[in-house]
Amino acid sequence: MVSNYINFEQVYQKLKRKLNINIISNYFHTKFDKNALLIYITAPFYSKKISESHQNQWQAVQIAILLKKYKYNVDVIEYTDSKVRLKKTYDMVIGLIPRDIDIYTGHLRGDCIKIAYLTSSNLRYTNEQELSRILDLEKRKGVKLKPRRQSGYISKAIESFDAAFFIGNEFGFKSYSEFNMPPVFYIKNTGYNFDFKPDYNKKNPKAFLFFGSVGQVHKGLDLLLEVFTESAKDLELYICGNVVSEEDFCNLYHKELYETSNIKTVGFVDIRSRVFQNLTDYCAYTILPSCAEGCAGSILTVMSVGVIPIVSKMCGFDADEAILLDDCSKDCISRTIRSYSNKDIEWIKDKSKYVIEVVKSHHSRKAFISSFDNALNQTLKLKEKSK
C-alpha cells in the first residue's frame, strides 16, 4: 500500500533551500563596501520580540549590531545548516566555527578576517568529560545511560584564524590547549534584569537550587541526588530543568527525584513566573557541579536575583564571582554544602546582594557589548598590523 502522507516539514526545508531563504541576507539593508557572515543562530532575527529562553538570543542580535557599527553588511546563517548556498564573498566571517560543517571557505576574500566564536569548552574535551561522567556513574550504579551532550569537533583549521572570542575565563580556555590558538579575547556572558526584587528575609541557608538544561549527568545532577540522599538528608534540593526528557535518567533516579522528602523536582520553570520568584527567594544557593561549560548561563540567571552560586571550576567563574568546588567528588560536594548551610542569615543576605552586584558589574548586557566591541576592535588592529 502506498502512503499519501506528506512530511510538510521536509517539504518546507527543501523549499527554503531551493529559494535560498535560510540565509538572512543584509539584515540591516545597509550599503557598505564590506560583507560579514555571522554563523550562529537565526531565530532571534526572525522575531519581533527576542526570546528570553537563552542569553544567546539577545547576544546574537547584538553581535550583528556591532558588525554594522564597523561598517559591514551582515548576513546570518544557522551554524548547523550544511545545505545553505552562499552567493557572496565575505570580508569577515565570525561564528561557531570551525566545526565539522564548512560551507563558507570558498566564499572568503583573500584577506578575510576569520573569528571563531567559542561559547563552550573545547568540544573534544566536552565530549570526553561527559563520557567519563557516564562511565563513573555506570561503575557506581551498574547502569549505562545515554550521552546527551555529544557534538562535533573543533578542527585544526582554528589555528589559521585571526582571533578566538571565548565566553568564559582563562581556566576554561585551557581546554583548547591541544591547538596552537590564535589571540583570544574573553567575552562576558550576561545575566538578566528582572522586574521583581528578591526577598532576602525568605532565604533558607539549607535550601539549594539546581538550575540546569540538557544532560543531567554532564551537569552533575546524579552526584547531587546521591549526596542529598546519603550525607545531606537534612538539606533541601530543588530541581529545575527538563529532567523528564531524559527517560533513562529518570528511571534510574526515580526514587530520589520523586519519592524523597528533601528533594523536590519542579521541572521546567519560566524565569518570569511566580514559581521562579518563590524558588529564588527561598533557596540561598544554586549548585552546579558540571564537567564542562563556557560560562554557565543558567547560573547567571539565578545569580541575577541573588542566589549564591556554588559551582565547579569548569563553569567559567572566577573566585571573586562564585564559590568554587575544589573538585566534583561526592565528598567535596557534601563538605562544601554542609559548610555553607551553616551560614547565618546576615551572611546570606550580604552575599546575595554581592552576587547581584557581580552580575550588574561583570555580566551585564553593557559588559557583553563592551567586551565584544573591544575584541572586534583589537582583532581589526592586529589584522592591519599583519599586512
Side-chain angles (χ1 to χ4, degrees), residues 212-274:
S213 57
V214 178
Q216 308 313 318
V217 178
H218 175 103
K219 299 289 185 181
L221 180 56
D222 57 319
L223 299 171
L224 296 180
L225 291 174
E226 292 175 31
V227 167
F228 278 82
T229 53
E230 293 170 3
S231 59
K233 294 180 180 180
D234 58 321
L235 305 181
E236 299 176 40
L237 178 65
Y238 291 81
I239 301 168
C240 293
N242 194 15
V243 183
V244 70
S245 67
E246 299 178 32
E247 186 177 358
D248 55 348
F249 184 88
C250 289
N251 288 339
L252 180 60
Y253 286 101
H254 186 275
K255 183 176 180 180
E256 291 85 350
L257 288 167
Y258 304 110
E259 300 175 9
T260 306
S261 60
N262 64 318
I263 298 174
K264 306 295 181 185
T265 300
V266 182
F268 176 82
V269 173
D270 183 341
I271 63 172
R272 297 293 179 181
S273 68
R274 174 65 68 176

Side-chain angles (χ1 to χ4, degrees), residues 27 42 64 105 120-121 134 154 168 189-190 193 197 210 212 236 244 262 266 268 272 325 340 347 351 363 370 386:
Y27 179 66
T42 55
T105 298
S120 68
S121 302
I134 288 172
I154 302 292
N189 204 358
T190 49
N193 293 318
K197 294 182 179 180
F210 173 84
E236 299 176 40
V244 70
N262 64 318
V266 182
F268 176 82
R272 297 293 179 181
L325 293 164
Y340 283 97
W347 186 93
K351 191 69 171 179
H363 297 281
S370 177
S386 68

Side-chain angles (χ1 to χ4, degrees), residues 15-70:
L15 181 61
K16 280 179 65 178
R17 287 195 292 271
K18 186 174 182 179
L19 298 175
N20 216 30
I21 59 174
N22 50 349
I23 299 175
I24 298 173
S25 183
N26 197 2
Y27 179 66
F28 297 106
H29 307 290
T30 50
K31 296 181 180 179
F32 300 129
D33 295 329
K34 300 177 294 183
N35 296 321
L37 177 64
L38 176 59
I39 305 175
Y40 195 23
I41 53 175
T42 55
F45 295 92
Y46 290 115
S47 177
K48 292 181 180 180
K49 182 179 180 181
I50 296 175
S51 169
E52 293 187 330
S53 61
H54 196 284
Q55 286 95 332
N56 62 10
Q57 301 292 302
W58 173 85
Q59 292 167 359
V61 176
Q62 290 304 309
I63 293 171
I65 291 171
L66 285 169
L67 290 172
K68 177 187 174 185
K69 172 187 172 181
Y70 286 90

Side-chain angles (χ1 to χ4, degrees), residues 48 111 134 178 277 307 314 319:
K48 292 181 180 180
D111 59 349
I134 288 172
E178 68 174 285
Q277 183 177 351
V307 185
M314 284 308 300

Side-chain angles (χ1 to χ4, degrees), residues 50-91:
I50 296 175
S51 169
E52 293 187 330
S53 61
H54 196 284
Q55 286 95 332
N56 62 10
Q57 301 292 302
W58 173 85
Q59 292 167 359
V61 176
Q62 290 304 309
I63 293 171
I65 291 171
L66 285 169
L67 290 172
K68 177 187 174 185
K69 172 187 172 181
Y70 286 90
K71 299 188 182 305
Y72 288 91
N73 307 309
V74 182
D75 290 359
V76 187
I77 62 174
E78 193 78 24
Y79 75 99
T80 56
D81 192 346
S82 62
K83 304 294 185 181
V84 64
R85 294 176 295 165
L86 300 175
K87 295 182 178 180
K88 300 178 185 177
T89 54
Y90 294 95
D91 303 273

Side-chain angles (χ1 to χ4, degrees), residues 113 378-387:
I113 299 169
Q378 294 302 315
T379 300
L380 290 168
K381 287 181 178 179
L382 288 172
K383 186 70 172 182
E384 189 63 31
K385 285 182 180 180
S386 68
K387 290 181 178 180

